[in-house]
Amino acid sequence: MLSRPPSGFYGVSASGKRWAVQITYGRKAHYLGQFDTKQEAALAYDRAVRQCGKDKPLNYESIEEAEEAAAQA
């Protein structure tokens, strides 16, 4: 299993006072945007992983869990 990055979430990194999200597939990096909370950013990453069907680590067990964490943040 991969170790978690400094943000605590895969695909999420600090960008000033916001959180940037990026996913790599097809040998290309895909920028998904910036978010106010790292939980919202992690949700965007997890949605992208599930959509592209790639074998990448997820931050949450389910989209529902991710949505709940983002809503509470």
Side-chain angles (χ1 to χ4, degrees), residues 10-54:
Y10 299 111
V12 177
S13 60
S15 179
K17 293 183 179 183
R18 300 190 78 201
W19 298 92
V21 182
Q22 183 173 302
I23 185 172
T24 303
Y25 61 89
R27 296 188 193 186
K28 293 184 180 179
H30 300 271
Y31 180 72
L32 303 177
Q34 290 191 0
F35 299 84
D36 292 328
T37 69
K38 58 184 171 181
Q39 292 83 359
E40 290 172 323
L43 170 59
Y45 171 87
D46 279 12
R47 282 182 174 154
V49 168
R50 285 179 166 90
Q51 183 178 15
C52 70
K54 298 299 175 190

Side-chain angles (χ1 to χ4, degrees), residues 47-65:
R47 282 182 174 154
V49 168
R50 285 179 166 90
Q51 183 178 15
C52 70
K54 298 299 175 190
D55 191 22
K56 299 225 177 254
L58 293 168
N59 293 302
Y60 295 99
E61 294 288 323
S62 68
I63 286 297
E64 292 78 18
E65 182 184 351

